[in-house]
Amino acid sequence: MLSHVYSKSYIRSSIALQELSRVLIVERLLPVPQRAAKSAEPFDAYSLNQALGADFMTSYLSGVGNSTEFICNVKVRKETMQNFQTKTRGFLGKEEASRELDVPILSLCESVGMSS
């Protein structure tokens, strides 16, 4: 029932998805390397790519206004990725990391519920 929304033809024809992509890429992503180039500060392209993936998925599922903003918020991105690694790799503190990851996910679910 849901597979059609993941099909190539749907994705290419969806005006909403095109707008979502424009916001994430043009407004959020592209300014990051542009600022880095002007200031000569390095940036973590791998982490930025992970952020784009997470922001895109949460925007697609819950709308841009309810999505994560890992592209723009480096501190939250780093904390979340560290917690994710701790949890998935079974490092010491994985229970705490799991609880820390639950907070933004539950908040995201609540915000989607309120906006629908």
Side-chain angles (χ1 to χ4, degrees):
M1 285 176 42
L2 297 175
S3 64
H4 75 283
V5 299
Y6 296 102
S7 71
K8 184 177 177 181
S9 60
Y10 177 82
I11 291 171
R12 294 189 79 184
S13 68
S14 172
I15 300 299
L17 196 54
Q18 290 173 15
E19 177 59 17
L20 179 147
S21 298
R22 186 195 65 74
V23 168
L24 291 176
I25 294 170
V26 175
E27 294 180 15
R28 293 186 188 176
L29 180 66
L30 291 179
V32 174
Q34 289 171 344
R35 278 193 307 271
K38 288 180 184 174
S39 67
E41 288 183 25
F43 69 95
D44 183 352
Y46 180 75
S47 175
L48 191 59
N49 189 48
Q50 289 178 313
L52 176 62
D55 287 359
F56 196 91
M57 286 188 299
T58 58
S59 295
Y60 184 65
L61 295 172
S62 59
V64 174
N66 295 319
S67 70
T68 57
E69 293 188 18
F70 293 143
I71 293 171
C72 302
N73 194 332
V74 177
K75 181 178 183 250
V76 172
R77 176 192 337 154
K78 286 181 179 180
E79 290 170 359
T80 302
M81 296 305 168
Q82 181 64 47
N83 283 329
F84 181 76
Q85 287 180 353
T86 299
K87 178 183 176 179
T88 58
R89 294 181 181 171
F91 293 155
L92 184 63
K94 67 180 181 180
E95 292 82 12
E96 177 65 25
S98 184
R99 285 190 293 275
E100 291 291 323
L101 289 169
D102 287 347
V103 172
I105 293 169
L106 292 173
S107 176
L108 182 64
C109 290
E110 287 175 7
S111 65
V112 170
M114 289 181 197
S115 66
S116 57

